[in-house]
């Protein structure tokens, strides 16, 4: 079982930046594809970004050019660097993991992921 713990959320002004971290338990972090999702009040959970075992990345259109997903296998951590934040980025951000034998595996569907963190709130003020 993998445990995921997100951190780095908080209140930020529009145009500002924030880096989210997701620390994973266990010694096989490098065997997992990772993803970030978010859920705003009254809305469905939506895909934000994903990264494969060999660092292929995928982004939803609304964050392309502003957000960057990365991973540090030595630290069992995946990051989401968020720049040029907008009020519409306000949401609870969740990280998720998927054990993958395919090093190129990267998916945007929430159903593709096996483990989820508890989430961290990001609020962007206008």
């Amino acid at each position: 079982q993998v445990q995921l713990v997100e951190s780095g959320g908080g209140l930020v002004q529009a145009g500002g930046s924030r880096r989210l971290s997701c620390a994973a338990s266990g010694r096989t972090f490098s065997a997992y594809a990772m993803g970030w999702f978010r859920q705003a009040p009254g809305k469905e959970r939506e895909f934000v970004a994903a990264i494969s075992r060999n660092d292929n990345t995928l982004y939803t259109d609304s964050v392309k050019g502003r957000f960057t997903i990365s991973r540090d296998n030595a630290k069992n951590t995946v990051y989401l660097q968020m720049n040029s934040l907008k009020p519409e980025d306000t949401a609870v951000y969740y990280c998720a993991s998927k054990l993958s034998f395919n090093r190129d595996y990267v998916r945007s569907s929430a159903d593709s992921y096996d483990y989820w963190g508890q989430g961290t709130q990001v609020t962007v003020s206008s």
Side-chain angles (χ1 to χ4, degrees):
Q1 177 120 7
V2 175
Q3 290 187 325
L4 303 173
V5 179
E6 302 95 338
S7 61
L11 177 64
V12 60
Q13 289 188 331
S17 298
R18 202 82 181 179
R19 188 176 80 158
L20 304 183
S21 300
C22 173
S25 64
R27 296 178 293 178
T28 59
F29 178 75
S30 61
Y32 288 80
M34 302 297 296
W36 284 98
F37 292 77
R38 65 187 180 186
Q39 188 167 18
K43 294 188 176 181
E44 297 290 320
R45 187 173 298 190
E46 66 171 353
F47 169 74
V48 177
I51 188 166
S52 70
R53 291 179 56 194
N54 63 358
D55 292 339
N56 289 334
T57 58
L58 185 65
Y59 297 92
T60 192
D61 287 346
S62 64
V63 307
K64 284 181 180 177
R66 300 190 298 123
F67 290 12
T68 302
I69 188 172
S70 61
R71 64 189 299 158
D72 185 336
N73 291 338
K75 295 183 178 180
N76 283 13
T77 301
V78 63
Y79 303 99
L80 185 67
Q81 177 67 44
M82 306 185 295
N83 298 328
S84 302
L85 283 161
K86 304 175 181 179
E88 51 263 45
D89 294 319
T90 295
V92 177
Y93 283 72
Y94 300 89
C95 72
S97 66
K98 166 67 177 179
L99 182 64
S100 174
F101 295 102
N102 182 346
R103 293 177 61 85
D104 296 322
Y105 181 98
V106 60
R107 292 290 187 273
S108 61
S109 170
D111 292 341
S112 301
Y113 292 85
D114 301 318
Y115 301 102
W116 292 81
Q118 292 300 307
T120 185
Q121 174 73 46
V122 174
T123 302
V124 184
S125 63
S126 57

